[in-house]
C-alpha cells in the first residue's frame, strides 16, 4: 500500500484549520499558523487525520467479572460505594 504524503499532509492541515477555527468560540487564544508548527506537531495532526489506530478501542466495555446471579448496584456491574448509595437515598438530588 502506497501512502500519498501530500494528501496526508493536506488532511492534517485541514483538520488543524478546522479545530483552530473553534478556539475563539471556546474562549481560547488563537493557535499558531500551520507553517509555524514543528515537524513533530504537524505529524501528530496528520496521524489524527488518518483516523483511529486499528486494534481494541480504549473505551471498550470491561469484561464481566461477577458471579452469575449476583446483584448489580453500580452502573459498571460493581457494587455501589457508600456515597452512591447515600445519593440514591436522597432521591438523586445534589445539594447546591
Amino acid at each position: 500500500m502506497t501512502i500519498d504524503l501530500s494528501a496526508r499532509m493536506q488532511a492534517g492541515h485541514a483538520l488543524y484549520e478546522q479545530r483552530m477555527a473553534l478556539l475563539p468560540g471556546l474562549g481560547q487564544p488563537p493557535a499558531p499558523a500551520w507553517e509555524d508548527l514543528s515537524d513533530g506537531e504537524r505529524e501528530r495532526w496528520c496521524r489524527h487525520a488518518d483516523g483511529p489506530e486499528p486494534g481494541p478501542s480504549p473505551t471498550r466495555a470491561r469484561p464481566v467479572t461477577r458471579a452469575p446471579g449476583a446483584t448489580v448496584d453500580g452502573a459498571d456491574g460493581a457494587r455501589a460505594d457508600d456515597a452512591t448509595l447515600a445519593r440514591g437515598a436522597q432521591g438523586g438530588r445534589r445539594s447546591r
Side-chain angles (χ1 to χ4, degrees):
M1 180 173 139
T2 305
I3 298 173
D4 183 357
L5 296 178
S6 175
R8 187 171 182 267
M9 186 66 72
Q10 288 175 353
H13 186 180
L15 179 62
Y16 181 77
E17 294 290 330
Q18 178 186 24
R19 300 283 173 86
M20 192 172 82
L22 298 174
L23 292 176
L26 298 171
Q28 298 296 313
W34 175 257
E35 295 77 22
D36 294 338
L37 297 177
S38 70
D39 290 340
E41 289 172 315
R42 282 191 222 142
E43 173 58 26
R44 183 173 58 88
W45 282 100
C46 291
R47 280 196 315 267
H48 285 298
D50 287 343
E53 295 279 327
S57 169
T59 58
R60 68 183 183 276
R62 295 189 334 207
V64 176
T65 56
R66 64 187 183 291
T71 60
V72 177
D73 293 325
D76 63 355
R79 293 253 331 132
D81 61 14
D82 291 337
T84 302
L85 293 173
R87 280 194 304 272
Q90 296 173 358
R93 297 186 61 193
R94 293 183 181 177
S95 60
R96 292 183 189 214

